[in-house]
Amino acid sequence: QAQLVESGGGLVQSGGSLRLACAASGRVISIREMEWYRQVPGKQRELVAAATSDGSTNYADSVKGRFSISRDNAKNTGYLQMNSLKPEDTAVYYCNALLLIEDDGTTWFGWGQGTQVTVSS
């Protein structure tokens, strides 16, 4: 069974940077796709960034030019680099991933536990 563990959240001042990590563990061959969402209390979870299996990336308009999604295949870990943070970026950030877990092409999809990001003004 695979799992995703997030890290890297915290408190940062406006204009600062954080890098979130989403580490896949268990029987994992590779990360096929990964997405990062964020959620504030009382609102729907919002898609922030996505990376597909062909290497393409997509970002919410609100974070374009400031956030960057990437992955380290050797470590089976995905990242969300967040620069020029704003107070409105404050949220719990969640990753999800489609993982290749068997040589026959079997995949697994799941979510990380979430990590709090707080940006002070």
Side-chain angles (χ1 to χ4, degrees):
Q1 181 74 350
Q3 65 173 347
L4 299 172
V5 177
E6 297 181 41
S7 60
L11 174 64
V12 64
Q13 288 189 332
S14 182
S17 298
L18 284 174
R19 188 177 77 159
L20 306 183
C22 180
S25 62
R27 181 169 174 77
V28 179
I29 298 173
S30 66
I31 299 173
R32 298 289 302 276
E33 300 177 353
M34 179 170 284
E35 296 176 324
W36 288 90
Y37 281 75
R38 65 187 180 188
Q39 189 170 26
V40 297
K43 292 190 176 182
Q44 285 190 326
R45 200 169 286 193
E46 172 193 23
L47 178 63
V48 175
T52 63
S53 57
D54 65 1
S56 63
T57 56
N58 293 288
Y59 299 92
D61 288 342
S62 58
V63 306
K64 280 181 182 176
R66 300 188 299 120
F67 289 13
S68 177
I69 187 172
S70 63
R71 59 191 171 198
D72 184 333
N73 290 325
K75 295 181 179 180
N76 282 329
T77 299
Y79 301 97
L80 183 68
Q81 177 67 43
M82 306 185 295
N83 300 326
S84 302
L85 283 162
K86 305 175 181 179
E88 51 263 43
D89 294 320
T90 295
V92 178
Y93 284 72
Y94 298 89
C95 66
N96 70 45
L98 182 67
L99 307 177
L100 181 64
I101 61 171
E102 298 285 354
D103 291 331
D104 65 1
T106 301
T107 56
W108 174 92
F109 176 82
W111 288 83
Q113 81 282 8
T115 186
Q116 176 71 46
V117 171
T118 303
V119 185
S120 63
S121 57

